[in-house]
Amino acid sequence: MTDDDLIALARAAALKAYAPYSGFSVGCAILSVDGEVVTGANMENACYRLGLCAEQSALTAAQHAFGLDKVARVAVAGGDGSGAELKGDAPVTPCGGCRQALLEASQLGGRDIDIVCASGDGGIIERHRLSALIANGFGPDNLRDSTKHGD
Ligand code: THU
């Protein structure tokens, strides 16, 4: 699965977003270490702060399909999803909360995660490593000294 393939899936997923309040549709496609793919899109709510981001929606599907610890690569794309194709010329990088959720998957799997960020039209692509997007983040590894997690 190439980055272009994964971006195409993220762009298609964005068209299934429920984003009536922001008008900003985001799609996310997650590839596992074994080549399985799941997708998700943002889902908003009349109580605005309860909206769900595309990455967290896709991470939920990833946990269900193959397990968070198997996440290898993630593509995100966002923009105007009101037409037949997603539009927009600015790459979408995961928000802070999504970086934290991705860090959980990364530390569970013991591997860095490639994050491919695309503009809505797919024309602009940025590649990042999660470790750069959330440097020195707090994750499950940091709980090793707790009474519940310590060995
Ligand atoms: N959004 C995502 O789905 N992922 C991100 O990483 C950034 C923001 C969504 C949340 C909200 O529904 C809309 O984009 C506007 O913020």
Side-chain angles (χ1 to χ4, degrees), residues 17-28 40-45 48 51-57 76-78 92-99:
Y18 174 70
Y21 304 106
S22 71
F24 191 73
S25 298
V26 184
C28 176
N42 55 330
M43 189 172 75
E44 298 182 349
N45 190 281
Y48 294 171
L52 182 68
C53 284
E55 296 90 328
Q56 300 210 33
S57 158
V76 188
V92 172
T93 51
C95 77
C98 291
R99 294 176 195 205

Side-chain angles (χ1 to χ4, degrees), residues 7-99:
I7 289 166
L9 290 172
R11 293 184 64 231
L15 296 179
K16 295 179 184 165
Y18 174 70
Y21 304 106
S22 71
F24 191 73
S25 298
V26 184
C28 176
I30 297 182
L31 179 70
S32 79
V33 289
D34 300 317
E36 285 182 75
V37 183
V38 293
T39 58
N42 55 330
M43 189 172 75
E44 298 182 349
N45 190 281
C47 181
Y48 294 171
R49 68 187 176 83
L50 297 182
L52 182 68
C53 284
E55 296 90 328
Q56 300 210 33
S57 158
L59 280 168
T60 302
Q63 168 64 7
H64 186 75
F66 46 75
L68 280 184
D69 60 324
K70 298 281 196 327
V71 172
R73 206 184 331 148
V74 174
V76 188
D80 174 0
S82 62
E85 283 216 19
L86 190 68
K87 289 186 275 186
D89 52 18
V92 172
T93 51
C95 77
C98 291
R99 294 176 195 205

